[in-house]
């Protein structure tokens, strides 16, 4: 076998607490992340020459060294002593970019998992995460996904036992938000984190509804009028809670029932750049 495809699942942030700035300039975080059923499809084909080539059906996605899949493949091949090998990486995109849904990170995590299988290296999830942290902050979590508390820059992962499945409506306006600018806004406004992650995890463990514990420091920092309006529209559509994910610009609503979620989908489709109904997984 020299080719394999996998689904690369998106994520949402149920909490995102900015806890400090590290010496290297990165911000330290405490965030509860959750994978959802929206996914890209990533196909990796091994080559006998040291060349990494990326093909993507979304013209807005870079297909050179700027793509984190390129970096993931290069770091993996070097880590396992296969620098003489290469790979063709094909990405079928469904996760919108600059949305806070972790699309590029999910694709990169899929590349690491696939190469581990194709090259029969049997690296543990922990070892894959050691490689993944050098690719991007969300990549270690997306190696396994599920529900987890992620700390540091995303490399410290503690799985959270949470069996409740939610109906999710994603709504992205016609603009993205630069991650560096979102963090700069947090710093410039001298905001203090609401630090809700521990309370959310406690609610999960105790079987409580989680809706009152969702938070995102970067949403507060960005304070965009259109994002605030989308949140209210989701609540008007009977979402139990709504929140921006990551550094944005996508907003999600959590619904008690699939029917309510689909009715909200019908109501908001066509009004925004991306509207999609999915579930937590």
């Amino acid at each position: 076998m020299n080719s394999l495809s996998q689904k690369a699942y998106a994520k949402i942030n149920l909490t995102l607490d900015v806890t400090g700035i590290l010496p290297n300039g990165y911000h330290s975080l405490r965030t509860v992340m959750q994978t959802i059923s929206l996914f890209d499809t990533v196909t990796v084909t091994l080559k006998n020459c040291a060349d990494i080539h990326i093909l993507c059906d979304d013209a807005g996605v870079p297909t050179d060294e700027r793509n984190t899949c390129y970096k993931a493949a290069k770091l993996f091949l070097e880590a396992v002593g296969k620098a003489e090998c290469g790979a063709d990486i094909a990405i079928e995109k469904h996760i919108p970019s600059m949305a806070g849904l972790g699309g590029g990170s999910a694709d990169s995590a899929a590349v690491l998992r696939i190469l581990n299988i194709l090259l029969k290296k049997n690296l543990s999830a922990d070892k894959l995460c050691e490689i993944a942290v050098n690719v991007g902050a969300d990549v270690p979590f997306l190696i396994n996904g599920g529900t987890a508390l992620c700390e540091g820059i995303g490399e410290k992962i503690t799985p959270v036992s949470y069996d409740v499945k939610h109906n999710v409506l994603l709504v992205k306006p016609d603009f993205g938000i630069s991650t560096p600018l979102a963090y700069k806004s947090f710093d410039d406004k001298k905001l203090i984190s609401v630090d809700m992650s521990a309370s959310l995890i406690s609610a999960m463990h105790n079987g409580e509804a989680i809706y009152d514990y969702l938070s995102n420091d970067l949403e507060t920092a960005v304070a965009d009028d259109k994002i605030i309006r989308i949140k209210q529209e989701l609540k008007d559509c009977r979402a139990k809670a709504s929140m921006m994910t990551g550094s944005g610009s996508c907003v999600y609503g959590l619904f008690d029932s699939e029917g309510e979620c689909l009715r909200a989908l019908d109501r908001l489709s066509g009004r925004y750049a991306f509207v999609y109904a999915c579930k937590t997984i």
Side-chain angles (χ1 to χ4, degrees), residues 128-142:
L128 288 178
C129 286
E130 288 178 18
I131 300 171
V133 73
N134 294 307
V135 180
D138 293 337
V139 184
F141 164 71
L142 289 163

Side-chain angles (χ1 to χ4, degrees), residues 38-203:
L38 171 65
F39 62 89
D40 293 342
T41 300
V42 178
T43 303
V44 179
T45 304
L46 292 179
K47 299 196 295 188
N48 292 322
C49 58
D51 174 61
I52 298 168
H53 180 256
I54 296 173
L55 178 68
C56 184
D57 61 356
D58 183 340
V61 174
T63 54
D64 55 16
E65 292 88 345
R66 293 172 295 165
N67 192 303
T68 53
C69 288
Y70 182 101
K71 187 175 184 180
K74 187 171 186 294
L75 288 174
F76 184 92
L77 293 170
E78 289 174 351
V80 300
K82 288 284 188 179
E84 76 281 1
C85 292
D88 288 331
I89 302 169
I91 308 167
E92 180 185 308
K93 289 296 293 181
H94 300 283
I95 306 169
S97 301
M98 293 187 70
L101 294 168
S105 296
D107 298 341
S108 301
V111 167
L112 294 175
R113 293 193 305 266
I114 293 170
L115 285 173
N116 195 34
I117 294 168
L118 291 179
L119 291 169
K120 298 180 174 64
K121 291 301 175 182
N122 298 315
L123 298 186
S124 66
D126 287 346
K127 183 60 181 176
L128 288 178
C129 286
E130 288 178 18
I131 300 171
V133 73
N134 294 307
V135 180
D138 293 337
V139 184
F141 164 71
L142 289 163
I143 292 292
N144 283 329
T147 311
L149 171 68
C150 301
E151 298 175 279
I153 60 169
E155 82 283 8
K156 300 173 186 174
I157 303 169
T158 306
V160 177
S161 178
Y162 184 58
D163 295 329
V164 178
K165 300 303 178 188
H166 293 279
N167 296 280
V168 184
L169 189 66
L170 305 173
V171 182
K172 181 182 181 293
D174 59 357
F175 62 88
I177 294 176
S178 160
T179 299
L181 287 180
Y183 281 102
K184 184 177 186 300
S185 180
F186 182 89
D187 295 338
D188 289 347
K189 293 179 179 180
K190 297 181 170 57
L191 297 174
I192 298 173
S193 176
V194 296
D195 200 11
M196 289 292 286
S197 294
S199 297
L200 174 68
I201 292 170
S202 178

Side-chain angles (χ1 to χ4, degrees), residues 203-216:
M204 288 175 162
H205 286 164
N206 293 332
E208 299 175 38
I210 66 169
Y211 305 124
D212 292 336
Y213 301 100
L214 306 184
S215 68
N216 185 340

